[in-house]
Amino acid sequence: MDKIISLFKNKDLYYQATKLALNGQKSGYERLEFLGDRVLGIVVAEMLYNAYPNEAEGLLAKRFVALTCGKTLAKITKTWNLESFGEKSAHCIRHNKSILSDVCESVIGALYLDQGLEKAKEFIIPIWEPLMLSYEHAPQDSKSQLQEYSQKNFGILPTYTLVEQHGQAHAPEFIVKLEAGPYIKMAKGGSIKKAEQEAAYLLLQEIEHDN
């Protein structure tokens, strides 16, 4: 039994948070993901507020994005030996950044429901605090990096267009189209901001590959 499930009094909440369809798609944890996103957000925001009392809001926001973006959440989830990942879909899941990110938030949401905010903070802070302290300066998020690159190399700003929105009210999904110079990238996320960040990250990866 992995260390994460041992934290839960109600093991059913854990299994609900990590339940995945065999095809690697979302199954039944969207509501917990929605909740976990908010719990993680308030805990990380409080950490940053206390750790950097002299930083302006804009710099705190950059740190916040770096600590809560999908790439960071996926890396964290990969380090967890989640029991539910023993299914046939394990390989697919472990290489799907979007699913790993979602599961990270759903586990946090489930733990919050199980034992409240203080227990969630006990879980979050030891994992996220070292990441927070690893940034000597406020890191640039993908959108900011792409904006600078696009202005310098293409002479224009990137444009983001909302293409589609679907899903239930508690778990919406947004699809955006990003255009920057000759590049076009589509991405999805649980909010428009997340979708835009994901698109910027993917486009930067493509640019890096091309160069």
Side-chain angles (χ1 to χ4, degrees):
M1 186 175 293
D2 62 68
K3 292 182 179 180
I4 305 298
I5 191 174
S6 67
L7 299 174
F8 284 80
K9 293 180 179 178
N10 182 354
K11 300 298 189 284
D12 287 340
L13 279 171
Y14 166 86
Y15 287 116
Q16 183 182 345
T18 59
K19 184 179 180 183
L20 301 165
L22 288 180
N23 62 1
Q25 300 301 310
K26 289 184 178 181
S27 182
Y29 58 83
E30 293 96 337
R31 286 171 56 85
L32 290 174
E33 175 200 344
F34 168 83
L35 180 60
D37 175 70
R38 275 68 182 174
V39 174
L40 177 63
I42 188 61
V43 174
V44 170
E46 183 181 19
M47 285 171 52
L48 291 169
Y49 183 85
N50 291 331
Y52 303 98
N54 298 318
E55 279 199 349
E57 181 273 339
L59 294 178
L60 292 177
K62 287 183 178 181
R63 293 185 185 276
F64 181 87
V65 169
L67 291 171
T68 58
C69 67
K71 180 174 66 173
T72 298
L73 302 188
K75 285 182 178 179
I76 289 172
T77 309
K78 275 189 174 182
T79 68
W80 299 346
N81 182 29
L82 294 178
E83 191 173 274
S84 296
F85 284 4
E87 300 172 348
K88 295 178 181 178
S89 56
H91 178 78
C92 173
I93 294 166
R94 290 192 180 281
H95 291 82
N96 189 314
K97 182 167 70 71
S98 177
I99 291 178
L100 289 170
S101 173
D102 293 345
V103 170
C104 184
E105 292 176 332
S106 67
V107 166
I108 290 170
L111 189 59
Y112 169 80
L113 286 181
D114 188 47
Q115 298 176 57
L117 183 59
E118 288 305 311
K119 186 66 175 180
K121 288 173 70 172
E122 288 178 13
F123 174 69
I124 292 168
I125 291 174
I127 298 173
W128 268 265
E129 189 172 48
L131 292 174
M132 177 185 73
L133 297 176
S134 69
Y135 297 114
E136 182 178 354
H137 303 290
Q140 276 198 319
D141 60 88
S142 295
K143 285 185 65 177
S144 298
Q145 291 181 47
L146 179 61
Q147 179 173 310
E148 288 190 5
Y149 183 92
S150 182
Q151 285 182 300
K152 179 180 178 180
N153 293 276
F154 308 139
I156 57 172
L157 290 172
T159 59
Y160 299 85
T161 305
L162 178 62
V163 175
E164 186 178 345
Q165 175 182 349
H166 55 82
Q168 299 181 10
H170 66 269
E173 188 168 72
F174 301 87
I175 299 175
V176 300
K177 177 183 179 182
L178 165 60
E179 297 178 81
Y183 294 90
I184 298 176
K185 187 64 63 176
M186 305 283 285
K188 60 183 179 181
S191 69
I192 294 177
K193 287 185 177 180
K194 284 187 175 182
E196 290 177 347
Q197 285 287 352
E198 177 69 8
Y201 170 75
L202 293 173
L203 196 147
L204 285 169
Q205 293 291 103
E206 184 173 339
I207 290 174
E208 183 178 350
H209 180 268
D210 290 347
N211 294 330

